[in-house]
């Protein structure tokens, strides 16, 4: 049974870096058939796919155009987890952030969601 | 910027049938966009319904089905139940990036 457990602060100051982690159980972050995604949701922007990391003999990343200049998604194989870093945040980055696994085009497993508020 | 468009809202009577659609600003949606459909109820994370156009996991009720219709991805609910009232989102793949639709609020009335 795959489970994704998110952790990270719920409050970030403007211009600082948002950092979240998604711990994986029941699968490996190095799986050759899965991709590990970050998605966010806000009333103003709806659901927004932010990016992913995946391993196919080497590591790959894809990012949404809207955040490409500010985002980094990394896998940590020693802890079987992956992380999101979003730089230079503004109040517009306030949202519920989710991690999710995509395997064979199926986004079946999601984390519990983390509300991140950007405010001073 | 690629835009994925869904009907903002639809209303259906209990026991009825409704089709939600998902269009791409780039043109016709094909199976190569690997359409996904999600259901979301207030306060909950999205729940996967359909993946890769028409595939679904075993616990998804038979009344939910996915297809391609008129150049769009489609989600059809047949024999709608009151508990199907929710927001529905589609997700399309554009060769390396995924893009969500704006969601359809389905009211069962």
């Amino acid at each position: 049974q795959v489970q994704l457990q998110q952790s990270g602060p719920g409050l970030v100051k403007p211009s600082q870096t948002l950092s979240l982690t998604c711990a994986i159980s029941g699968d490996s972050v190095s799986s050759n058939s899965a991709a590990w995604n970050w998605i966010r949701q806000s009333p103003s922007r709806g659901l927004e796919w932010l990016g992913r990391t995946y391993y196919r003999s080497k590591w790959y990343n894809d990012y949404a155009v809207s955040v490409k200049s500010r985002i980094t998604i990394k896998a940590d194989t020693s802890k079987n987890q992956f992380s999101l870093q979003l730089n230079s945040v503004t109040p517009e980055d306030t949202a519920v952030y989710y991690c999710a696994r995509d395997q064979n085009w199926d986004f079946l497993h999601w984390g519990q969601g983390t509300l991140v508020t950007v405010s001073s | 910027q690629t835009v994925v468009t869904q009907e903002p809202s639809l209303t259906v009577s209990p026991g009825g049938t409704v089709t939600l659609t998902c269009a791409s600003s780039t043109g016709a949606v094909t199976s190569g966009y690997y359409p996904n459909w999600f259901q979301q109820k207030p306060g909950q994370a999205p729940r996967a319904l359909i993946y890769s156009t028409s595939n679904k996991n075993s616990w998804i009720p038979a009344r939910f089905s996915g297809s391609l219709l008129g150049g769009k991805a489609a989600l059809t609910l047949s024999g709608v139940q009151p508990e199907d009232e929710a927001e529905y989102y589609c997700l399309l793949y554009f060769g390396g990036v995924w893009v969500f639709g704006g969601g359809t609020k389905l009211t069962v009335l």
Side-chain angles (χ1 to χ4, degrees):
Chain A
Q1 174 75 349
V2 175
Q3 291 190 325
L4 304 177
Q5 181 67 39
Q6 299 177 218
S7 60
L11 181 63
V12 181
K13 290 183 166 44
S15 80
Q16 294 194 342
T17 297
L18 181 160
S19 296
L20 295 173
T21 299
C22 184
I24 303 161
S25 57
D27 197 358
S28 169
V29 72
S30 304
S31 165
N32 272 298
S33 61
W36 305 97
N37 300 263
W38 285 99
I39 292 158
R40 69 181 177 183
Q41 185 172 30
S42 65
S44 58
R45 302 171 74 97
L47 277 169
E48 182 180 14
W49 178 86
L50 298 177
R52 64 180 181 174
T53 190
Y54 59 99
Y55 185 76
R56 302 289 185 269
S57 303
K58 68 175 187 176
W59 289 100
Y60 294 88
N61 290 99
D62 292 307
Y63 298 128
V65 169
S66 60
V67 294
K68 195 165 190 172
S69 62
R70 301 191 290 132
I71 189 173
T72 303
I73 296 176
K74 278 187 197 174
D76 183 340
T77 57
S78 65
K79 295 181 180 177
N80 201 33
Q81 63 186 30
F82 63 108
S83 63
L84 167 70
Q85 286 195 327
L86 189 64
N87 302 326
S88 306
V89 296
T90 71
E92 283 212 346
D93 294 309
T94 294
V96 177
Y97 286 76
Y98 295 100
C99 59
R101 185 186 82 161
D102 153 29
Q103 182 168 45
N104 300 323
W105 318 105
D106 183 9
F107 282 75
L108 179 58
H109 295 102
W110 292 59
Q112 78 275 22
T114 301
L115 173 61
V116 179
T117 301
V118 179
S119 174
S120 53
Chain B
Q1 184 97 349
T2 302
V3 176
V4 176
T5 302
Q6 300 179 242
E7 298 85 0
S9 63
L10 291 170
T11 300
V12 61
S13 300
T17 295
V18 64
T19 296
L20 290 65
T21 67
C22 177
S24 167
S25 62
T26 61
V29 176
T30 66
S31 59
Y33 287 78
Y34 302 99
N36 276 253
W37 289 92
F38 301 90
Q39 178 193 67
Q40 188 177 35
K41 296 184 178 178
Q44 297 181 13
R47 177 174 83 132
L49 293 175
I50 301 288
Y51 66 97
S52 230
T53 305
S54 58
N55 296 284
K56 58 186 180 183
N57 294 292
S58 56
W59 55 86
I60 300 301
R63 63 182 181 274
F64 291 91
S65 64
S67 64
L68 296 175
L69 202 60
K72 300 178 184 180
L75 174 69
T76 299
L77 287 72
S78 306
V80 171
Q81 302 296 306
E83 60 265 29
D84 297 334
E85 183 163 293
E87 193 89 22
Y88 291 84
Y89 294 92
C90 67
L91 176 64
L92 299 180
Y93 184 68
F94 294 88
V97 299
W98 292 91
V99 180
F100 280 96
T104 296
K105 181 173 174 50
L106 182 66
T107 301
V108 181
L109 203 57

